[in-house]
Amino acid sequence: MGTAPAAYEERPAPTAAAAWSPCLWVRQAPAAGTVTVVPDACTDLLWRAGRLEVAGPDTAPRTVALKAGEVIAGVRLRPGAARVLLGPVPATEIRDTQPDLADLWHRTALADRAAAETDPWRVAALLADALTKRAHAPDPVALAVAAALDRPRPPRIPDLAWDLGFSERQLRRRVEQAAGYGPKTLEQILRFHRAMAAAGEDPDWARVAAEAGYADQAHLSRQVRRWSGRPPTG
């Protein structure tokens, strides 16, 4: 089985979901194959093969097999916003897993409604609408931490905790529950994604490293290998 030429597309989340969701997305696989999913600090609710699944925050790249013609639709939750989907369940409980939504929501007709749709974008919108109507709001502290850490020169964790009125231990626990990682790991994953987004087709890796906040190009290379399993050129 080779690498699938899977088409992936994102669209902005509906206005009502924009505070906790950056996008809706659809992936279509014209041929059977595999795709590599890398950590992004997000949690997703997705519809795949007649099932609603929750993609928890990953700590390593993983390979996903796709069938020919398979279509997957989803809604992505921002780093720190997992509570919208999980409610009281800590994000650490689904880290590195992809459970069925039924394991987390005991009773829901959402799967039946998704199955009745033929347009994957309507399915993605349906998932976003279902989350919007839930009573669970994102943790504003976790969202604030994620935003503060998603910078080339983020604040030190002790300083950030002080500014937000928490001890470092309290802040770490709160971020772990809402994002699935502690603040330091969250910072590293966010920086990795900024670097990859800035790389482009023919990157100057020294420039990318400096602008993303790495100590040097070697530091970037080590972190890219850690989170993607590949060197920067891959």
Side-chain angles (χ1 to χ4, degrees):
M1 181 180 292
T3 299
Y8 174 81
E9 183 182 352
E10 294 180 356
R11 295 182 181 177
T15 301
W20 49 263
S21 173
C23 67
L24 311 180
W25 57 268
V26 169
R27 181 183 291 279
Q28 303 185 55
T34 60
V35 294
T36 299
V37 178
V38 299
D40 62 0
C42 297
T43 302
D44 294 70
L45 175 60
L46 57 95
W47 173 252
R48 181 185 186 190
R51 293 179 56 200
L52 287 168
E53 300 178 353
V54 177
D58 291 317
T59 60
R62 57 190 175 92
T63 300
V64 178
L66 300 175
K67 297 179 180 179
E70 183 171 8
V71 179
I72 307 172
V75 55
R76 179 158 299 131
L77 281 71
R78 298 185 185 278
R83 192 166 71 183
V84 173
L85 170 59
L86 302 179
V89 178
T92 50
E93 291 293 316
I94 61 164
R95 188 170 56 202
D96 294 319
T97 66
Q98 192 160 313
D100 194 306
L101 181 65
D103 295 337
L104 302 169
W105 294 10
H106 299 300
R107 300 178 65 181
T108 177
L110 186 57
D112 293 336
R113 295 167 61 197
E117 294 288 354
T118 57
D119 181 349
W121 288 110
R122 287 182 61 85
V123 173
L126 178 68
L127 303 185
D129 181 64
L131 291 179
T132 301
K133 292 177 179 177
R134 279 172 60 80
H136 302 292
D139 182 347
V141 172
L143 290 179
V145 170
L149 296 179
D150 197 12
R151 305 172 185 171
R153 300 292 183 270
R156 294 173 62 249
I157 304 302
D159 295 339
L160 185 57
W162 175 266
D163 290 342
L164 292 172
F166 295 91
S167 70
E168 189 174 349
R169 181 178 180 181
Q170 288 172 327
L171 187 70
R172 182 181 298 108
R173 183 169 58 249
R174 190 153 177 171
V175 172
E176 285 179 344
Q177 291 177 340
Y181 321 104
K184 197 63 181 178
T185 299
L186 177 59
E187 177 189 337
Q188 291 178 2
I189 294 175
L190 293 172
R191 183 171 52 192
F192 159 68
H193 272 271
R194 286 200 312 277
M196 294 302 95
E201 294 184 0
D202 185 23
D204 176 345
W205 289 111
R207 177 189 60 78
V208 172
E211 292 181 353
Y214 290 100
D216 51 32
Q217 188 173 338
H219 184 203
L220 178 147
S221 295
R222 290 193 300 272
Q223 288 291 297
V224 170
R225 284 182 180 274
R226 174 182 180 182
W227 299 118
S228 73
R230 303 176 182 178
T233 54

